[in-house]
Short mmCIF file of all heavy atoms in Angstrom, two decimals:
data_model
loop_
_atom_site.label_atom_id
_atom_site.label_comp_id
_atom_site.label_asym_id
_atom_site.label_seq_id
_atom_site.Cartn_x
_atom_site.Cartn_y
_atom_site.Cartn_z
N VAL A 131 64.47 30.18 46.61
CA VAL A 131 65.70 29.51 46.30
C VAL A 131 65.64 28.10 46.12
O VAL A 131 65.00 27.38 46.86
CB VAL A 131 66.78 29.89 47.43
CG1 VAL A 131 68.09 29.16 47.12
CG2 VAL A 131 66.93 31.30 47.74
N ALA A 132 66.27 27.53 44.96
CA ALA A 132 66.28 26.13 44.74
C ALA A 132 67.68 25.68 45.17
O ALA A 132 68.67 26.20 44.72
CB ALA A 132 66.00 25.86 43.25
N VAL A 133 67.73 24.54 45.99
CA VAL A 133 68.99 24.02 46.37
C VAL A 133 69.07 22.54 46.03
O VAL A 133 67.91 21.87 45.93
CB VAL A 133 69.23 24.23 47.84
CG1 VAL A 133 69.19 25.71 48.34
CG2 VAL A 133 68.17 23.41 48.68
N ASP A 134 70.26 21.99 45.86
CA ASP A 134 70.46 20.56 45.71
C ASP A 134 70.04 19.81 46.82
O ASP A 134 70.56 20.02 47.92
CB ASP A 134 71.91 20.35 45.24
CG ASP A 134 72.15 18.85 44.75
OD1 ASP A 134 72.13 17.92 45.50
OD2 ASP A 134 72.48 18.78 43.45
N ASP A 135 69.15 18.72 46.68
CA ASP A 135 68.70 17.98 47.73
C ASP A 135 69.71 17.12 48.39
O ASP A 135 69.44 16.50 49.42
CB ASP A 135 67.38 17.18 47.39
CG ASP A 135 67.68 16.17 46.18
OD1 ASP A 135 68.78 16.16 45.77
OD2 ASP A 135 66.63 15.61 45.75
N GLU A 136 70.85 16.84 47.75
CA GLU A 136 71.89 16.06 48.26
C GLU A 136 73.05 16.91 49.00
O GLU A 136 73.50 16.50 50.04
CB GLU A 136 72.44 15.19 47.23
CG GLU A 136 71.55 14.11 46.80
CD GLU A 136 72.14 13.13 45.80
OE1 GLU A 136 73.37 13.28 45.42
OE2 GLU A 136 71.57 12.09 45.42
N THR A 137 73.45 17.97 48.24
CA THR A 137 74.54 18.71 48.68
C THR A 137 74.18 20.02 49.36
O THR A 137 74.96 20.59 50.06
CB THR A 137 75.54 19.06 47.56
OG1 THR A 137 74.84 19.99 46.63
CG2 THR A 137 75.90 17.78 46.81
N GLY A 138 72.94 20.45 49.07
CA GLY A 138 72.59 21.80 49.65
C GLY A 138 73.10 22.95 48.88
O GLY A 138 72.88 24.11 49.24
N ALA A 139 73.84 22.69 47.77
CA ALA A 139 74.28 23.70 46.88
C ALA A 139 73.10 24.55 46.33
O ALA A 139 72.15 24.01 45.84
CB ALA A 139 75.18 23.21 45.84
N ARG A 140 73.33 25.84 46.25
CA ARG A 140 72.34 26.80 45.61
C ARG A 140 72.34 26.56 44.08
O ARG A 140 73.38 26.70 43.42
CB ARG A 140 72.65 28.24 46.02
CG ARG A 140 71.60 29.16 45.49
CD ARG A 140 71.77 30.56 46.17
NE ARG A 140 71.60 30.60 47.57
CZ ARG A 140 71.20 31.64 48.27
NH1 ARG A 140 70.89 32.73 47.65
NH2 ARG A 140 70.97 31.50 49.56
N LEU A 141 71.11 26.33 43.60
CA LEU A 141 70.97 26.04 42.20
C LEU A 141 70.50 27.29 41.44
O LEU A 141 70.90 27.50 40.24
CB LEU A 141 70.13 24.77 41.92
CG LEU A 141 70.56 23.47 42.56
CD1 LEU A 141 69.56 22.48 42.37
CD2 LEU A 141 71.87 23.05 41.99
N ALA A 142 69.49 27.92 41.91
CA ALA A 142 68.81 29.03 41.32
C ALA A 142 68.14 29.92 42.38
O ALA A 142 67.74 29.39 43.45
CB ALA A 142 67.79 28.61 40.24
N GLU A 143 67.91 31.14 41.97
CA GLU A 143 67.20 32.04 42.97
C GLU A 143 66.39 33.03 42.15
O GLU A 143 66.84 33.61 41.13
CB GLU A 143 68.23 32.80 43.75
CG GLU A 143 67.66 33.78 44.83
CD GLU A 143 68.74 34.31 45.65
OE1 GLU A 143 70.00 34.08 45.50
OE2 GLU A 143 68.35 35.09 46.70
N ALA A 144 65.16 33.19 42.62
CA ALA A 144 64.23 34.18 42.11
C ALA A 144 63.81 35.14 43.24
O ALA A 144 63.18 34.86 44.09
CB ALA A 144 63.03 33.55 41.60
#
Side-chain angles (χ1 to χ4, degrees):
V131 179
V133 301
D134 189 290
D135 57 6
E136 292 185 354
T137 68
R140 183 169 296 208
L141 302 174
E143 182 174 4

